[in-house]
Amino acid sequence: MNNNQKNLDIYLKDIGGNDLLSDEQERALAERIANGDAEAANELAAANLRYVVAVARQYAGGALSMDDLVSEGNVGMLKAATKFKANGGKRFVAFAAPYIRKCIEAALKKQANLVSMDAPIPAGSQNAYTLSSLLEDVNSPQADAQIELEGLGVNLARGMEMLDEREKQVIARFYGIGMPHQTMAEIAADMGLKRERVRQIRDNSLRKLRKSNKGLKEE
């Protein structure tokens, strides 16, 4: 079993205990979301994490690992959760599907652009320059994963205080907090780390944040 499959199996086991919601429960969460309850959006997204994995599998085998595909899909689902309305007439997964696909496809397109931009210039060029070293494409599409701080929960700002500087950097870059969203591969390149190490830092940081938020709720 390779590391990607092992990581996916661990993740599936971790989210396996999340109960699916009834229509009535989804409507109740949607009403809370409409009233500005950010935690309700988190609850709605958390109950449907397995659906993101199902969508991500349809894009497997491309430029991004399953781990990255699922992560990008989760970003899209959380964005959808903040916009879900009780009177929309759809189950949440049907409403969220376009958001999930948009984030995954944007990340794949961005990765493809990075690969092509790093290809050596053809036509007998005698240097090692790449297109990306010569051109600055200001209109290059960005992954649609910019998440506002309040979209991740009202306690996130307080929870971030318990993270060290590297953990803060990874979380901020991955979730687009105060900066453009980056994939784990991009974060690894910018921070001089291996992609697997970035994933570990992200996962450990999220565990700390969840624990912190849980403690704050119980106060």
Side-chain angles (χ1 to χ4, degrees):
M1 181 184 298
N2 60 38
N3 284 337
N4 286 336
Q5 184 60 50
K6 183 178 180 180
N7 293 337
L8 181 60
D9 289 343
I10 293 172
Y11 178 71
L12 289 172
K13 183 178 180 180
D14 189 39
I15 66 176
N18 296 339
D19 294 329
L20 295 177
L21 301 175
S22 65
D23 289 348
E24 182 178 348
Q25 288 172 318
E26 285 194 355
R27 285 194 295 270
L29 286 173
E31 290 172 0
R32 287 170 55 193
I33 292 168
N35 291 325
D37 187 343
E39 184 58 33
N42 291 337
E43 292 178 23
L44 182 58
N48 292 279
L49 292 173
R50 282 172 287 183
Y51 179 71
V52 174
V53 176
V55 175
R57 288 186 189 277
Q58 299 172 21
Y59 295 88
L64 295 177
S65 68
M66 269 297 296
D67 195 25
D68 277 333
L69 292 172
V70 170
S71 295
E72 296 294 335
N74 285 344
V75 170
M77 184 170 64
L78 183 56
K79 290 175 72 71
T82 64
K83 301 176 184 294
F84 187 59
K85 299 184 183 301
N87 59 356
K90 289 183 178 180
R91 289 284 291 176
F92 175 63
V93 291
F95 176 82
Y99 291 85
I100 295 169
R101 293 186 182 280
K102 183 177 181 181
C103 276
I104 290 175
E105 290 170 5
L108 285 168
K109 187 174 182 180
K110 184 177 181 180
Q111 186 66 23
N113 287 342
L114 290 173
V115 171
S116 64
M117 290 293 285
D118 283 335
I121 297 177
S125 173
Q126 298 301 310
N127 57 50
Y129 291 129
T130 64
L131 290 175
S132 60
S133 68
L134 299 178
L135 301 176
E136 180 182 2
D137 184 2
V138 296
N139 295 314
S140 175
Q142 299 295 319
D144 186 18
Q146 183 74 20
I147 299 179
E148 295 182 355
L149 194 60
E150 60 268 23
L152 287 174
V154 294
N155 293 324
L156 180 59
R158 290 175 64 182
M160 287 280 279
E161 295 175 0
M162 69 181 298
L163 302 180
D164 63 35
E165 287 304 313
R166 186 165 63 171
E167 291 169 338
K168 289 177 182 177
Q169 276 289 312
V170 169
I171 292 296
R173 289 169 181 266
F174 185 78
Y175 287 105
I177 301 172
M179 62 184 68
H181 159 74
Q182 291 183 314
T183 66
M184 283 191 284
E186 292 170 326
I187 297 170
D190 285 352
M191 296 183 65
L193 301 170
K194 292 184 177 180
R195 198 193 69 85
E196 176 61 18
R197 182 56 183 149
V198 172
R199 185 196 66 77
Q200 292 172 353
I201 294 171
R202 182 206 62 181
D203 290 350
N204 289 336
S205 300
L206 289 177
R207 290 189 190 98
K208 287 184 180 180
L209 290 171
R210 291 191 189 102
K211 183 177 181 180
S212 172
N213 283 348
K214 182 178 179 181
L216 289 170
K217 290 178 190 176
E218 294 173 351
E219 288 179 356

Coordinates of all heavy atoms in Angstrom, one line a residue, residues 121-201:
I121 N 11.8 26.1 -23.2 CA 11.4 26.8 -24.5 C 12.0 26.0 -25.7 O 13.2 25.7 -25.7 CB 12.0 28.2 -24.5 CG1 11.4 29.0 -23.4 CG2 11.7 28.9 -25.9 CD1 11.9 30.4 -23.3
P122 N 11.1 25.7 -26.6 CA 11.5 24.8 -27.8 C 12.3 25.6 -28.8 O 12.8 26.7 -28.6 CB 10.2 24.3 -28.3 CG 9.2 25.4 -27.9 CD 9.7 26.0 -26.6
A123 N 12.3 25.1 -30.0 CA 12.8 25.7 -31.2 C 14.3 26.0 -31.1 O 14.8 27.1 -31.5 CB 12.1 27.0 -31.6
G124 N 15.1 25.0 -30.6 CA 16.5 25.1 -30.6 C 17.1 26.0 -29.6 O 18.3 26.4 -29.8
S125 N 16.4 26.4 -28.6 CA 16.9 27.3 -27.6 C 18.1 26.7 -27.0 O 18.1 25.5 -26.6 CB 15.9 27.7 -26.6 OG 16.5 28.5 -25.6
Q126 N 19.2 27.4 -26.7 CA 20.4 26.9 -26.1 C 20.5 27.2 -24.6 O 21.6 27.1 -24.0 CB 21.6 27.5 -26.8 CG 21.7 27.2 -28.3 CD 21.8 25.7 -28.5 OE1 22.6 25.0 -27.9 NE2 21.0 25.1 -29.4
N127 N 19.4 27.6 -24.0 CA 19.5 27.9 -22.6 C 18.5 27.1 -21.9 O 17.7 26.4 -22.5 CB 19.2 29.4 -22.3 CG 17.9 29.9 -22.9 OD1 16.9 29.3 -22.7 ND2 17.9 31.0 -23.7
A128 N 18.5 27.2 -20.6 CA 17.6 26.4 -19.7 C 16.4 27.2 -19.2 O 15.8 26.8 -18.3 CB 18.4 25.8 -18.5
Y129 N 16.2 28.4 -19.8 CA 15.0 29.2 -19.4 C 13.7 28.4 -19.6 O 13.6 27.6 -20.6 CB 15.0 30.5 -20.1 CG 16.1 31.4 -19.7 CD1 16.9 32.0 -20.7 CD2 16.4 31.7 -18.4 CE1 17.9 32.9 -20.3 CE2 17.5 32.5 -18.0 CZ 18.2 33.1 -19.0 OH 19.2 34.0 -18.6
T130 N 12.7 28.7 -18.8 CA 11.4 28.2 -19.1 C 10.5 29.4 -19.3 O 10.8 30.6 -19.1 CB 10.9 27.4 -17.8 OG1 10.8 28.3 -16.7 CG2 11.8 26.3 -17.5
L131 N 9.3 29.1 -19.8 CA 8.3 30.2 -20.1 C 8.0 30.9 -18.8 O 7.8 32.1 -18.8 CB 7.0 29.6 -20.7 CG 7.2 29.1 -22.1 CD1 5.8 28.4 -22.5 CD2 7.5 30.2 -23.1
S132 N 7.9 30.2 -17.7 CA 7.6 30.9 -16.4 C 8.6 31.8 -15.9 O 8.4 32.7 -15.2 CB 7.3 29.8 -15.3 OG 8.4 29.0 -15.1
S133 N 9.9 31.6 -16.4 CA 11.0 32.5 -16.0 C 11.0 33.7 -16.8 O 11.7 34.7 -16.4 CB 12.3 31.7 -16.1 OG 12.7 31.5 -17.4
L134 N 10.3 33.8 -17.9 CA 10.3 34.9 -18.8 C 9.0 35.7 -18.8 O 9.0 36.9 -19.2 CB 10.7 34.5 -20.2 CG 12.0 33.8 -20.4 CD1 12.1 33.3 -21.9 CD2 13.1 34.7 -20.0
L135 N 7.9 35.0 -18.5 CA 6.6 35.7 -18.6 C 6.0 35.8 -17.2 O 6.1 35.0 -16.4 CB 5.7 34.8 -19.5 CG 6.2 34.6 -20.9 CD1 5.2 33.7 -21.6 CD2 6.3 35.9 -21.7
E136 N 5.2 36.9 -17.1 CA 4.4 37.1 -15.9 C 3.0 37.2 -16.3 O 2.6 38.2 -16.9 CB 4.8 38.3 -15.1 CG 4.0 38.5 -13.9 CD 4.3 39.8 -13.1 OE1 5.2 40.5 -13.6 OE2 3.7 40.0 -12.1
D137 N 2.2 36.1 -16.2 CA 0.8 36.1 -16.6 C -0.1 36.6 -15.5 O -0.5 35.9 -14.7 CB 0.4 34.7 -17.0 CG -1.0 34.6 -17.6 OD1 -1.6 35.7 -17.7 OD2 -1.5 33.5 -17.9
V138 N -0.4 37.9 -15.6 CA -1.2 38.5 -14.5 C -2.6 38.0 -14.5 O -3.4 38.2 -13.6 CB -1.2 40.0 -14.6 CG1 0.2 40.6 -14.3 CG2 -1.7 40.5 -15.9
N139 N -3.1 37.4 -15.6 CA -4.4 36.9 -15.7 C -4.5 35.4 -15.5 O -5.5 34.8 -15.8 CB -5.0 37.2 -17.1 CG -5.1 38.7 -17.4 OD1 -5.6 39.4 -16.5 ND2 -4.6 39.2 -18.5
S140 N -3.4 34.8 -15.0 CA -3.4 33.4 -14.8 C -4.5 33.0 -13.8 O -4.7 33.7 -12.8 CB -2.1 33.0 -14.2 OG -2.1 31.6 -13.8
P141 N -5.3 32.0 -14.1 CA -6.5 31.6 -13.2 C -6.0 31.1 -11.9 O -5.0 30.4 -11.8 CB -7.2 30.5 -14.0 CG -6.1 29.9 -14.9 CD -5.2 31.1 -15.3
Q142 N -6.6 31.5 -10.8 CA -6.3 31.1 -9.5 C -7.3 30.1 -9.0 O -8.5 30.2 -9.3 CB -6.3 32.3 -8.5 CG -5.2 33.4 -8.9 CD -3.8 32.8 -8.8 OE1 -3.5 32.1 -7.8 NE2 -3.0 33.2 -9.7
A143 N -6.9 29.1 -8.2 CA -7.8 28.2 -7.6 C -8.8 28.9 -6.8 O -8.5 29.8 -6.0 CB -7.1 27.2 -6.8
D144 N -10.1 28.6 -7.0 CA -11.2 29.3 -6.3 C -11.3 28.7 -4.9 O -12.3 28.1 -4.6 CB -12.5 29.1 -7.1 CG -13.6 29.9 -6.5 OD1 -13.3 30.9 -5.7 OD2 -14.8 29.7 -6.8
A145 N -10.4 29.1 -4.1 CA -10.4 28.5 -2.7 C -10.1 29.6 -1.7 O -9.6 29.2 -0.6 CB -9.3 27.4 -2.6
Q146 N -10.3 30.8 -2.0 CA -10.1 31.9 -1.0 C -11.2 31.8 0.0 O -12.4 32.0 -0.3 CB -10.1 33.2 -1.7 CG -9.8 34.4 -0.8 CD -8.4 34.5 -0.4 OE1 -7.5 33.9 -1.1 NE2 -8.1 35.2 0.6
I147 N -10.9 31.5 1.3 CA -11.9 31.4 2.3 C -11.8 32.5 3.3 O -10.7 32.7 3.8 CB -11.8 30.0 3.0 CG1 -12.0 28.9 2.0 CG2 -12.8 29.9 4.1 CD1 -11.8 27.5 2.6
E148 N -12.8 33.2 3.6 CA -12.8 34.2 4.6 C -12.7 33.6 6.0 O -13.2 32.5 6.2 CB -14.0 35.1 4.5 CG -14.1 35.9 3.2 CD -15.3 36.8 3.1 OE1 -16.1 36.7 4.1 OE2 -15.4 37.5 2.2
L149 N -12.0 34.3 6.9 CA -11.8 33.8 8.2 C -13.1 33.3 8.9 O -13.1 32.3 9.5 CB -11.1 34.9 9.1 CG -10.5 34.4 10.4 CD1 -9.4 33.4 10.1 CD2 -9.9 35.6 11.1
E150 N -14.1 34.1 8.8 CA -15.4 33.8 9.5 C -16.0 32.5 8.9 O -16.8 31.9 9.5 CB -16.4 34.9 9.4 CG -16.8 35.4 8.0 CD -15.9 36.5 7.5 OE1 -14.8 36.6 8.0 OE2 -16.4 37.2 6.6
G151 N -15.7 32.2 7.6 CA -16.2 31.0 7.0 C -15.7 29.7 7.6 O -16.3 28.6 7.4
L152 N -14.6 29.8 8.4 CA -14.0 28.6 9.0 C -14.4 28.4 10.5 O -14.0 27.5 11.1 CB -12.5 28.6 8.9 CG -12.0 28.4 7.5 CD1 -10.5 28.6 7.5 CD2 -12.3 27.0 7.0
G153 N -15.2 29.4 11.0 CA -15.6 29.2 12.4 C -15.2 30.4 13.2 O -14.1 30.9 13.0
V154 N -16.0 30.9 14.1 CA -15.8 32.1 14.9 C -14.6 31.9 15.8 O -14.0 32.9 16.3 CB -17.0 32.5 15.6 CG1 -18.1 32.9 14.7 CG2 -17.5 31.4 16.5
N155 N -14.2 30.7 16.2 CA -13.2 30.5 17.1 C -11.8 30.3 16.5 O -10.8 30.1 17.2 CB -13.5 29.3 18.0 CG -14.7 29.5 18.9 OD1 -14.9 30.6 19.4 ND2 -15.5 28.5 19.1
L156 N -11.7 30.3 15.1 CA -10.5 30.0 14.5 C -9.4 31.0 14.9 O -8.2 30.6 15.1 CB -10.7 30.0 13.0 CG -9.4 29.7 12.1 CD1 -8.8 28.4 12.5 CD2 -9.7 29.8 10.7
A157 N -9.7 32.3 14.9 CA -8.7 33.3 15.2 C -8.1 33.0 16.6 O -6.9 33.2 16.8 CB -9.3 34.7 15.2
R158 N -8.9 32.7 17.6 CA -8.3 32.3 18.9 C -7.5 31.0 18.8 O -6.5 30.9 19.5 CB -9.5 32.2 19.9 CG -10.2 33.5 20.2 CD -11.4 33.3 21.1 NE -11.0 32.8 22.4 CZ -11.9 32.5 23.3 NH1 -13.2 32.7 23.1 NH2 -11.5 32.0 24.5
G159 N -8.0 30.1 18.1 CA -7.3 28.8 18.0 C -6.0 28.9 17.3 O -5.0 28.2 17.7
M160 N -5.8 29.8 16.3 CA -4.6 30.0 15.6 C -3.5 30.4 16.5 O -2.3 30.2 16.3 CB -4.8 31.0 14.5 CG -5.6 30.5 13.3 SD -4.6 29.5 12.2 CE -3.8 30.8 11.2
E161 N -3.8 31.1 17.6 CA -2.8 31.6 18.6 C -2.0 30.4 19.2 O -0.9 30.6 19.6 CB -3.5 32.4 19.7 CG -4.1 33.7 19.2 CD -4.9 34.4 20.2 OE1 -4.9 33.9 21.4 OE2 -5.5 35.4 20.0
M162 N -2.6 29.2 19.2 CA -1.9 28.1 19.8 C -0.9 27.4 18.9 O -0.2 26.5 19.3 CB -2.9 27.1 20.4 CG -3.7 26.3 19.4 SD -4.8 25.2 20.2 CE -3.7 24.1 21.0
L163 N -0.9 27.8 17.6 CA -0.1 27.2 16.6 C 1.3 27.9 16.6 O 1.4 29.1 16.8 CB -0.7 27.2 15.2 CG -2.1 26.6 15.1 CD1 -2.6 26.8 13.6 CD2 -2.1 25.1 15.4
D164 N 2.3 27.1 16.2 CA 3.6 27.8 16.0 C 3.7 28.5 14.7 O 2.7 28.3 13.9 CB 4.8 26.8 16.2 CG 4.8 25.7 15.2 OD1 4.4 25.9 14.0 OD2 5.2 24.5 15.5
E165 N 4.7 29.2 14.4 CA 4.8 30.0 13.2 C 4.7 29.2 11.9 O 4.0 29.6 11.0 CB 6.1 30.9 13.2 CG 6.1 32.0 14.2 CD 4.9 32.9 14.0 OE1 4.6 33.3 12.8 OE2 4.2 33.2 15.0
R166 N 5.3 28.0 11.9 CA 5.2 27.2 10.7 C 3.8 26.7 10.5 O 3.3 26.6 9.3 CB 6.3 26.1 10.7 CG 6.4 25.3 9.5 CD 7.6 24.4 9.4 NE 7.6 23.4 10.4 CZ 8.5 22.4 10.5 NH1 9.4 22.3 9.6 NH2 8.5 21.5 11.5
E167 N 3.2 26.2 11.5 CA 1.8 25.7 11.4 C 0.9 26.8 11.0 O 0.0 26.6 10.1 CB 1.4 25.2 12.8 CG 2.1 23.9 13.2 CD 1.9 23.5 14.6 OE1 1.5 24.4 15.5 OE2 2.0 22.3 15.0
K168 N 1.1 28.0 11.5 CA 0.2 29.2 11.1 C 0.4 29.4 9.6 O -0.6 29.7 8.9 CB 0.6 30.4 11.9 CG 0.2 30.4 13.3 CD 0.6 31.7 14.0 CE 0.3 31.7 15.5 NZ 0.8 32.9 16.2
Q169 N 1.7 29.4 9.1 CA 1.9 29.6 7.7 C 1.2 28.6 6.8 O 0.6 28.9 5.8 CB 3.4 29.5 7.5 CG 4.2 30.8 7.7 CD 3.8 31.9 6.7 OE1 3.9 31.6 5.5 NE2 3.5 33.1 7.2
V170 N 1.3 27.3 7.2 CA 0.7 26.2 6.4 C -0.8 26.4 6.4 O -1.4 26.3 5.3 CB 1.1 24.8 7.0 CG1 0.2 23.8 6.3 CG2 2.6 24.6 6.7
I171 N -1.4 26.6 7.5 CA -2.9 26.8 7.6 C -3.3 28.0 6.8 O -4.3 28.0 6.0 CB -3.4 26.9 9.0 CG1 -3.2 25.5 9.7 CG2 -4.8 27.3 9.1 CD1 -4.0 24.4 9.1
A172 N -2.6 29.1 7.0 CA -3.0 30.4 6.3 C -2.8 30.2 4.8 O -3.7 30.7 4.0 CB -2.1 31.5 6.8
R173 N -1.8 29.6 4.3 CA -1.6 29.4 2.9 C -2.6 28.4 2.3 O -3.1 28.7 1.2 CB -0.1 28.9 2.6 CG 1.0 29.9 2.8 CD 2.3 29.2 2.8 NE 3.4 30.1 3.1 CZ 4.1 30.7 2.1 NH1 3.8 30.5 0.8 NH2 5.1 31.6 2.4
F174 N -2.8 27.3 3.0 CA -3.7 26.3 2.4 C -5.2 26.8 2.4 O -5.9 26.5 1.4 CB -3.6 25.0 3.3 CG -4.4 23.9 2.7 CD1 -4.0 23.2 1.6 CD2 -5.7 23.5 3.2 CE1 -4.7 22.2 1.0 CE2 -6.4 22.5 2.6 CZ -5.9 21.8 1.5
Y175 N -5.6 27.5 3.4 CA -7.0 27.9 3.4 C -7.2 29.4 2.9 O -8.3 29.9 3.0 CB -7.6 27.8 4.8 CG -7.8 26.4 5.2 CD1 -7.0 25.7 6.1 CD2 -8.9 25.6 4.7 CE1 -7.2 24.4 6.4 CE2 -9.1 24.3 5.0 CZ -8.3 23.7 5.9 OH -8.5 22.4 6.2
G176 N -6.1 30.0 2.4 CA -6.2 31.3 1.9 C -6.6 32.4 2.9 O -7.5 33.2 2.6
I177 N -6.1 32.3 4.1 CA -6.4 33.3 5.1 C -5.4 34.4 5.0 O -4.3 34.3 5.3 CB -6.3 32.6 6.5 CG1 -7.3 31.4 6.6 CG2 -6.6 33.7 7.6 CD1 -7.1 30.6 7.9
G178 N -5.9 35.5 4.5 CA -5.1 36.7 4.3 C -4.1 36.6 3.1 O -3.3 37.5 3.0
M179 N -4.3 35.6 2.3 CA -3.4 35.4 1.1 C -4.1 34.5 0.1 O -5.0 33.8 0.5 CB -2.0 34.9 1.5 CG -2.1 33.5 2.2 SD -0.5 32.9 2.8 CE -0.1 34.1 4.1
P180 N -3.6 34.4 -1.1 CA -4.2 33.5 -2.1 C -4.0 32.0 -1.6 O -3.0 31.7 -1.0 CB -3.5 33.7 -3.4 CG -2.9 35.1 -3.2 CD -2.6 35.3 -1.8
H181 N -5.1 31.2 -1.8 CA -5.0 29.8 -1.5 C -3.8 29.1 -2.3 O -3.6 29.4 -3.5 CB -6.3 29.1 -1.8 CG -6.2 27.6 -2.0 ND1 -6.1 26.7 -1.0 CD2 -6.2 26.9 -3.2 CE1 -6.0 25.5 -1.4 NE2 -6.1 25.6 -2.8
Q182 N -3.1 28.2 -1.7 CA -2.1 27.4 -2.3 C -2.4 25.9 -2.1 O -2.9 25.5 -1.1 CB -0.7 27.7 -1.8 CG -0.2 29.1 -2.1 CD 1.2 29.4 -1.6 OE1 1.5 29.0 -0.4 NE2 2.0 29.9 -2.4
T183 N -2.0 25.1 -3.1 CA -2.0 23.6 -2.9 C -0.8 23.2 -2.0 O 0.1 24.0 -1.8 CB -1.9 22.9 -4.2 OG1 -0.6 23.1 -4.8 CG2 -3.0 23.4 -5.2
M184 N -0.9 22.0 -1.5 CA 0.2 21.5 -0.7 C 1.5 21.5 -1.4 O 2.6 21.7 -0.9 CB -0.1 20.2 -0.1 CG -1.1 20.2 1.1 SD -1.3 18.7 2.0 CE -2.4 17.8 0.8
A185 N 1.5 21.2 -2.7 CA 2.7 21.2 -3.5 C 3.3 22.6 -3.6 O 4.5 22.7 -3.5 CB 2.4 20.6 -4.9
E186 N 2.5 23.6 -3.8 CA 3.0 24.9 -3.8 C 3.5 25.4 -2.5 O 4.6 26.1 -2.4 CB 1.8 25.9 -4.3 CG 1.4 25.7 -5.7 CD 0.2 26.4 -6.1 OE1 -0.7 26.6 -5.2 OE2 0.0 26.8 -7.2
I187 N 2.8 25.0 -1.4 CA 3.3 25.4 -0.1 C 4.7 24.7 0.2 O 5.6 25.4 0.7 CB 2.3 24.9 1.0 CG1 1.0 25.7 0.8 CG2 2.9 25.2 2.4 CD1 -0.1 25.1 1.7
A188 N 4.8 23.5 -0.2 CA 6.1 22.8 0.0 C 7.2 23.5 -0.8 O 8.3 23.6 -0.2 CB 5.9 21.3 -0.5
A189 N 6.9 23.9 -2.0 CA 8.0 24.6 -2.8 C 8.4 25.9 -2.1 O 9.6 26.2 -2.1 CB 7.5 24.8 -4.2
D190 N 7.4 26.7 -1.7 CA 7.7 28.0 -1.1 C 8.4 27.9 0.2 O 9.2 28.7 0.5 CB 6.4 28.8 -1.0 CG 5.8 29.3 -2.3 OD1 6.5 29.2 -3.3 OD2 4.7 29.8 -2.3
M191 N 8.0 26.9 1.0 CA 8.6 26.8 2.4 C 9.8 25.8 2.5 O 10.3 25.7 3.5 CB 7.5 26.3 3.3 CG 6.3 27.3 3.5 SD 5.1 26.8 4.7 CE 6.0 26.8 6.2
G192 N 10.2 25.3 1.3 CA 11.3 24.4 1.3 C 11.1 23.1 2.1 O 12.0 22.6 2.7
L193 N 9.9 22.6 2.0 CA 9.5 21.3 2.7 C 9.1 20.3 1.6 O 8.8 20.6 0.5 CB 8.4 21.6 3.7 CG 8.7 22.6 4.8 CD1 7.4 22.9 5.5 CD2 9.7 22.1 5.7
K194 N 9.0 19.0 2.1 CA 8.4 18.0 1.2 C 6.9 18.1 1.3 O 6.4 18.5 2.4 CB 8.9 16.6 1.6 CG 10.4 16.4 1.4 CD 10.8 14.9 1.7 CE 12.2 14.7 1.4 NZ 12.6 13.3 1.7
R195 N 6.2 17.7 0.3 CA 4.8 17.8 0.3 C 4.1 17.0 1.4 O 3.2 17.4 2.1 CB 4.2 17.4 -1.1 CG 2.7 17.8 -1.3 CD 2.1 17.1 -2.5 NE 1.9 15.7 -2.1 CZ 0.8 15.2 -1.5 NH1 -0.1 16.1 -1.1 NH2 0.7 14.0 -1.2
E196 N 4.7 15.8 1.7 CA 4.2 15.0 2.7 C 4.4 15.6 4.1 O 3.5 15.5 4.9 CB 4.9 13.6 2.7 CG 4.5 12.7 3.8 CD 3.1 12.3 3.8 OE1 2.4 12.4 2.8 OE2 2.6 11.8 4.9
R197 N 5.5 16.4 4.3 CA 5.7 17.1 5.5 C 4.6 18.2 5.7 O 4.1 18.4 6.8 CB 7.1 17.7 5.6 CG 7.4 18.4 6.9 CD 7.2 17.5 8.1 NE 7.4 18.2 9.3 CZ 6.8 17.9 10.5 NH1 5.9 16.9 10.5 NH2 7.1 18.6 11.6
V198 N 4.3 18.9 4.6 CA 3.3 19.9 4.6 C 2.0 19.3 5.0 O 1.2 19.9 5.9 CB 3.2 20.6 3.3 CG1 2.0 21.6 3.3 CG2 4.4 21.4 3.0
R199 N 1.6 18.2 4.5 CA 0.4 17.5 4.8 C 0.3 17.1 6.3 O -0.7 17.3 7.0 CB 0.2 16.2 4.0 CG -1.1 15.5 4.2 CD -1.1 14.1 3.7 NE -0.2 13.3 4.5 CZ -0.5 12.8 5.7 NH1 -1.6 13.1 6.3 NH2 0.4 12.0 6.3
Q200 N 1.5 16.6 6.8 CA 1.5 16.3 8.2 C 1.3 17.5 9.1 O 0.6 17.5 10.1 CB 2.9 15.6 8.6 CG 3.0 14.3 7.9 CD 4.4 13.7 8.1 OE1 5.3 14.4 8.6 NE2 4.7 12.5 7.7
I201 N 2.0 18.6 8.8 CA 1.8 19.9 9.5 C 0.4 20.4 9.5 O -0.2 20.8 10.5 CB 2.8 20.9 9.0 CG1 4.2 20.5 9.2 CG2 2.5 22.3 9.7 CD1 5.2 21.4 8.6

